[in-house]
Amino acid sequence: MSKLYKGLYNILNKYRKFILLIIDTCISILSYLMPYVVSGIHPVKIEYFKEQFLIFTIIYIATFIVMGVYKNMWRYAGIEDIFKCLKASVVGNLLFLFITLLFNIPVRYYVYPVVFPVSSFSTMAIRIVYRAILIIGDKDNRKFSHYTNILIIGAGQATVAILNEINRNNPNNYLAKCIVDDDKTKIGRRINSVPVVGSTEEIPIMVKKYKIEEIILSIPSIDKENKKRILDICATTKCKLKILPEVYSLLTNGNADIMDKIRDVQVEDLLGRDPITLDCELTKKYVFSKTVLVTGGGGSIGSELCRQISLYSPKKLIILDIYENNAYEIQQELIRTHGHSLGVEIEIASIRDKNKLNKIFQEKNIDIVFHAAAHKHVPLMEKNPEEAIKNNVIGTYNVVQVAHEHKVKKFVLISTDKAVNPTSVMGATKRIAEMIIQAYNSHSKTDYVAVRFGNVLGSNGSVIPLFKEQIKAGGPITVTHEEITRYFMTIPEAVQLVLRASSMAKGGEIFVLDMGEPVKIKDLAYNLIKLSGLEPEVDIKIEYTGLRPGEKLYEELLITNNENQVKTEIDKIFIEKPIEYNEEELFKFIGELEQAANKADTASMLCLIEKLVPTYKRTTKSGVIHTA
């Protein structure tokens, strides 16, 4: 930037209101005098016109001030701001016409049709020039060392908003080189001077041609299938990919810059299926005006249960957790969201403490229990089996007993696919918990039900946040086995299933969600690396560490074969037919299991688990399955 231009830019930036006021005053005077000069009539006599152009100037400038034209930030001006300027100019001219006619001020007839367009055009033009000077100055002042060449997918309104934001405020140093769109009618056209160059199938070609470094997917309403298709195409390039989220999330925070909304690719985007949505009307009727207790209410599943339950106007929501920080955080979040219209209470307690549980149930008159409290980390529970038993088995047994004694209407156990043919202590303890609730359901007035689902994205201990941290640190990404696969669902999906199943449950069922096809963990890791703009095994290494104790290659959702699945009226929800077992023997073994856990007698614990869960196959430290 030259010294002269830089000086002009600084003056315009510092004294913008004063400068525009002076310019508008000059425009009003000149536009009024112009018709007299152009008409060729006798030389202009300032004394004769002084009163007229003084009146016009005062009216014109006063109108601009009253209508807030000088409050606009012209470096960010758009069509609305230009229109506001035009409107103020027209109003000022009409006021002048009205006043001169009302007070019989002598104005020649040809003045009005000249003054009106000249003054309006000039005031708008000067602002466009002023804005251009400021924008060019802004760009030069940033002294960018490098622009990031970007390709935008989608030639819609969201892309217009992104390009406008790049022109106004560009903290990421983006330079939009091209747009792709599958609508053939848009190819060859331009948006804000950026060309629409081809379809999404041509992304790899355009990346090379325009030297693209980053791709933005700017189709907020795109379906999951097409999103995955486009992500797979982008993954063949070495570009980092970012995504504009769904339309509703933009609308809810409309005041924030659109660039702040663009996010990195999340693993949910890679699953290739639409999110599962269930009719919530029955759930609403079921929860409305009820007193609901959520154990483990501060955890990832428990807290989402609390969020969704709070939407259905319960009489009272009780959050029970041993960890006070998490419980406090979800309590404060719910208060911020619902105010004091939601009766939310915190109980800091352990499900191992039956006396405390009795006191809570006695005082609160609870209608529904969602039991989410559990130890879930497979390798840690292999090392500490007594803790898994104390929490997942004895803790569940305590809550089940207390719910029965205090005539709770419904009890919902949050279970896991790891309870099916378990190879881990954690999975086996969750299977025993399922057996406990089915046993109690046979003779209790409380309806007991379990809901079983696979891995939850974003939950505590999930592998995906670990992968992202490893990528950020430069690798390597650690995967336990090249062939390991898992079913995945999001936390909101899991909680929808829990709530919907509980509303339709009659007691004794184990509800299972059809989660689609399992996903290879290796494929997720590769895609996350590629869509971060890096190359697997080159920029980020993959290390295979071997299966951990208790870990399976493949998870199963059902104990029995497909013939024993009972389809419900709700798509994607099935009920597993219960397996019969001796209840007297079950509770006898649970008593012995508690004693062994209290003594930390690992050998006895594992033997008792094998008796209770015949399908359990324990693993050694090397990951080899041992059959008793």
Side-chain angles (χ1 to χ4, degrees), residues 24-74:
D24 289 339
T25 302
C26 294
I27 287 172
S28 64
I29 294 171
L30 292 173
S31 60
Y32 188 81
L33 293 178
M34 185 176 291
Y36 290 99
V37 175
V38 173
S39 65
I41 301 176
H42 55 79
V44 177
K45 296 181 179 179
I46 297 299
E47 293 79 8
Y48 181 76
F49 298 106
K50 181 170 62 176
E51 182 182 349
Q52 297 172 24
F53 74 67
L54 188 60
I55 292 171
F56 176 72
T57 301
I58 291 171
I59 292 171
Y60 197 77
I61 299 303
T63 305
F64 271 49
I65 293 171
V66 170
M67 295 185 70
V69 174
Y70 296 115
K71 292 180 180 178
N72 289 355
M73 296 181 68
W74 285 99

Side-chain angles (χ1 to χ4, degrees), residues 112 130 144 163 190 224 274 288 307 348 501 565 570:
Y112 299 116
Y130 177 87
F144 291 151
L163 293 175
R190 289 175 176 266
K224 292 286 182 181
D274 289 324
F288 180 75
R307 289 185 194 97
I348 303 302
Q565 294 181 30
I570 307 300

Side-chain angles (χ1 to χ4, degrees), residues 66 84 110 144 164 180 184 231 233 238 261 270 324 333 335 341 416 439 471 510 525 550 625:
V66 170
K84 186 176 183 180
Y110 52 78
F144 291 151
N164 286 340
V180 296
K184 292 181 180 179
L231 293 183
I233 293 170
K238 293 184 179 180
K261 299 293 181 183
L270 305 174
E324 71 275 16
E333 179 186 329
I335 290 172
S341 61
T416 170
I471 291 171
I510 295 177
I625 294 177

Side-chain angles (χ1 to χ4, degrees), residues 487-559:
Y487 293 97
F488 282 102
M489 67 190 313
T490 64
I491 293 176
E493 283 179 322
V495 169
Q496 276 190 79
L497 171 65
V498 171
L499 292 173
R500 188 67 182 86
S502 65
S503 65
M504 65 188 289
K506 297 176 181 177
E509 304 98 331
I510 295 177
F511 288 91
V512 183
L513 176 65
D514 176 8
M515 298 175 66
E517 294 299 318
V519 179
K520 271 192 176 184
I521 302 298
K522 180 187 78 172
D523 292 345
L524 284 181
Y526 269 62
N527 281 327
L528 281 173
I529 294 169
K530 288 178 180 178
L531 295 170
S532 298
L534 303 169
E535 190 173 345
E537 306 295 359
V538 177
D539 301 308
I540 302 289
K541 296 290 184 182
I542 306 287
E543 287 187 2
Y544 298 101
T545 57
L547 290 177
R548 298 172 298 179
E551 193 170 46
K552 289 182 180 181
L553 271 181
Y554 312 101
E555 297 292 4
E556 306 157 87
L557 287 172
L558 293 170
I559 289 179

Side-chain angles (χ1 to χ4, degrees), residues 322-562:
I322 189 63
Y323 185 43
E324 71 275 16
N325 290 349
N326 283 350
Y328 176 77
E329 284 178 11
I330 185 62
Q331 179 195 40
Q332 294 306 303
E333 179 186 329
L334 294 176
I335 290 172
R336 286 194 302 271
T337 305
H338 301 281
H340 294 287
S341 61
L342 175 68
V344 57
E345 296 181 9
I346 299 293
E347 292 289 344
I348 303 302
S350 170
I351 57 173
R352 303 180 188 187
D353 187 347
K354 191 176 179 183
N355 291 331
K356 180 69 179 288
L357 291 174
N358 255 318
K359 183 174 182 294
I360 293 169
F361 275 71
Q362 189 173 0
E363 292 175 353
K364 305 300 181 182
N365 193 24
I366 295 162
D367 298 303
I368 307 168
V369 173
F370 291 96
H371 181 45
H375 285 320
K376 305 180 182 74
H377 199 282
V378 171
L380 291 182
M381 292 307 102
E382 288 300 299
K383 190 175 181 181
N384 303 276
E386 67 280 359
E387 296 305 312
I389 290 166
K390 290 175 186 177
N391 216 53
N392 298 357
V393 177
I394 308 307
T396 298
Y397 192 20
N398 288 339
V399 185
V400 165
Q401 286 180 303
V402 173
H404 164 71
E405 291 164 7
H406 293 276
K407 298 181 173 57
V408 169
K409 293 183 178 66
K410 194 158 287 187
F411 182 104
V412 183
L413 169 69
I414 310 303
S415 192
T416 170
D417 56 0
K418 292 174 178 61
V420 183
N421 299 324
T423 59
S424 66
V425 170
M426 192 283 284
T429 56
K430 293 298 283 185
R431 176 57 192 147
I432 296 169
E434 291 179 352
M435 295 164 69
I436 291 170
I437 64 124
Q438 286 186 317
Y440 257 80
N441 187 74
S442 63
H443 56 76
S444 175
K445 291 184 178 180
T446 300
D447 292 331
Y448 291 92
V449 58
V451 184
R452 185 190 292 158
F453 46 80
N455 293 269
V456 179
L457 296 170
S459 66
N460 295 332
S462 172
V463 71
I464 303 305
L466 173 62
F467 283 175
K468 288 183 176 180
E469 287 299 316
Q470 289 174 334
I471 291 171
K472 185 186 287 187
I477 279 184
T478 53
V479 179
T480 55
H481 195 285
E482 194 169 358
E483 296 299 321
I484 194 166
T485 63
R486 290 292 181 265
Y487 293 97
F488 282 102
M489 67 190 313
T490 64
I491 293 176
E493 283 179 322
V495 169
Q496 276 190 79
L497 171 65
V498 171
L499 292 173
R500 188 67 182 86
S502 65
S503 65
M504 65 188 289
K506 297 176 181 177
E509 304 98 331
I510 295 177
F511 288 91
V512 183
L513 176 65
D514 176 8
M515 298 175 66
E517 294 299 318
V519 179
K520 271 192 176 184
I521 302 298
K522 180 187 78 172
D523 292 345
L524 284 181
Y526 269 62
N527 281 327
L528 281 173
I529 294 169
K530 288 178 180 178
L531 295 170
S532 298
L534 303 169
E535 190 173 345
E537 306 295 359
V538 177
D539 301 308
I540 302 289
K541 296 290 184 182
I542 306 287
E543 287 187 2
Y544 298 101
T545 57
L547 290 177
R548 298 172 298 179
E551 193 170 46
K552 289 182 180 181
L553 271 181
Y554 312 101
E555 297 292 4
E556 306 157 87
L557 287 172
L558 293 170
I559 289 179
T560 53
N561 58 42
N562 290 342

Side-chain angles (χ1 to χ4, degrees), residues 92-104:
N93 278 284
L94 289 175
L95 281 173
F96 175 68
L97 173 63
F98 176 75
I99 289 171
T100 55
L101 293 177
L102 182 66
F103 294 101
N104 293 318

